[in-house]
């Protein structure tokens, strides 16, 4: 299982991966989405779960592009984004949204 994000979303991915390991003892890793092309993409195989954090509008296109590369290798994608990014549903297997106010409190 992989968590991917850019900027502050990467910090959220690190924390999410850590919490998953602590609670469920499932192995997961967090990666900067832009670094997937530097070897990490080779670990993606059919059925691998990739969770992408997509909360920053200025980095949305780059991150979703990296996630779609994972999808082309057979990954199952979950997108975590804010309200208003309805096009995410068309590109990922499952999409969850939260308000930006909730995100600001959480960070």
């Amino acid at each position: 299982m992989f968590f991917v994000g850019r900027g502050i979303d990467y910090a959220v991915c690190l924390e999410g991966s850590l919490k998953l390991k602590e609670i469920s003892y499932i192995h997961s890793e967090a990666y900067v989405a832009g670094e997937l092309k530097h070897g990490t993409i080779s670990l993606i195989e059919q059925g691998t779960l990739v969770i992408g954090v997509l909360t920053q509008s200025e980095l949305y296109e780059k991150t979703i592009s990296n996630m779609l590369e994972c999808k082309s290798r057979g990954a199952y994608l979950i997108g975590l984004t804010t309200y208003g990014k309805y096009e995410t549903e068309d590109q990922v297997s499952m999409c969850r949204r939260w308000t930006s106010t909730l995100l600001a409190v959480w960070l």
Side-chain angles (χ1 to χ4, degrees):
M1 177 181 304
F2 297 104
F3 286 79
V4 297
R6 292 174 183 259
I8 193 71
D9 291 342
Y10 173 59
V12 173
C13 290
L14 286 169
E15 187 64 22
S17 177
L18 178 63
K19 294 301 177 194
L20 182 70
K21 291 176 195 177
E22 290 175 346
I23 294 169
S24 65
Y25 300 102
I26 295 173
H27 180 76
S28 69
E29 294 293 332
Y31 290 100
V32 177
E35 297 296 321
L36 286 174
K37 292 182 179 179
H38 300 286
T40 308
I41 196 81
S42 64
L43 299 174
I44 306 292
E45 56 188 28
Q46 187 71 32
T48 301
L49 178 59
V50 177
I51 300 172
V53 182
L54 306 154
T55 63
Q56 300 173 82
S57 295
E58 63 275 6
L59 298 173
Y60 177 84
E61 290 299 324
K62 289 182 178 183
T63 306
I64 201 74
S65 173
N66 293 125
M67 290 177 65
L68 292 175
E69 287 182 44
C70 296
K71 187 176 184 178
S72 71
R73 293 178 171 261
Y76 182 83
L77 302 181
I78 296 177
L80 303 176
T81 188
T82 55
Y83 283 99
K85 294 288 185 188
Y86 300 107
E87 65 274 10
T88 307
E89 286 182 355
D90 299 332
Q91 299 169 325
V92 298
S93 307
M94 184 187 336
C95 182
R96 292 289 177 249
R97 292 184 196 83
W98 59 74
T99 63
S100 56
T101 306
L102 179 61
L103 179 63
V105 170
W106 188 49
L107 294 175

